[in-house]
Amino acid sequence: MTRLLVIEPGYCPYQAGFPSAMAAASEVVEGESQILKPFGTPRIGLICSKSQSQLKYNRQVNDEGVTVRGRFLVCGLNGDKVIGLSKDQADRYSRLLFLPQVADMASDELPAAKVRPQDERYGGKLSFWERLER
């Protein structure tokens, strides 16, 4: 299993196991996917949708103002090959991206405000697939 971090708009990040990174991208990312390296290291990447204009705002992922819309994955990289994250890497990036954000609709300015997450830790936990059925 390949451990990846799944980040959905309005939710806290969570770790999930997938048969492969490509299977994860096809299940989680809406439309055609692309790999970005916004974290300042060549060892960690982000898999997101190429066409983000119609997707819900998700997160600003670094201090340079890189923002992502729609669901995305945080993954490990070995050159150009996508690999899973170690437990420590997954925990680190989960803390970094922990608070969901919302865009300021009045001014459309970024960075967006951080909001109290719809955190399942305080109640029944829904999986990614159960949320899709809602």
Side-chain angles (χ1 to χ4, degrees), residues 16-131:
F18 295 93
S20 71
M22 297 321 293
S26 67
E27 284 185 51
V28 175
V29 176
E30 296 117 320
E32 191 176 349
S33 61
Q34 65 179 343
I35 299 173
L36 304 176
K37 298 177 186 177
F39 299 113
T41 176
R43 299 182 57 118
I44 302 293
L46 182 149
I47 303 172
C48 64
S49 176
K50 278 188 178 180
S51 175
Q52 298 187 14
S53 61
Q54 301 298 318
L55 301 176
K56 186 176 178 182
Y57 179 83
N58 193 339
R59 301 278 201 293
Q60 179 176 333
V61 294
N62 64 15
D63 292 335
E64 285 84 44
V66 174
T67 61
V68 179
R69 293 180 174 272
R71 294 184 300 267
F72 67 92
L73 300 163
V74 175
C75 61
L77 296 173
N78 185 2
D80 288 337
K81 184 179 179 197
V82 177
I83 58 174
L85 297 169
S86 69
K87 177 78 170 129
D88 290 339
Q89 289 171 325
D91 289 342
R92 178 174 184 228
Y93 286 92
S94 181
R95 285 190 305 272
L96 178 71
L97 300 167
F98 182 73
L99 288 176
Q101 299 172 329
V102 292
D104 182 357
M105 295 302 174
S107 64
D108 212 21
E109 288 187 17
L110 298 172
K114 294 186 177 185
V115 296
R116 185 167 191 261
Q118 301 174 36
D119 193 349
E120 290 96 7
R121 294 175 205 199
Y122 303 110
K125 187 166 186 165
L126 296 175
S127 73
F128 164 71
W129 294 271
E130 289 171 320
R131 276 196 281 255

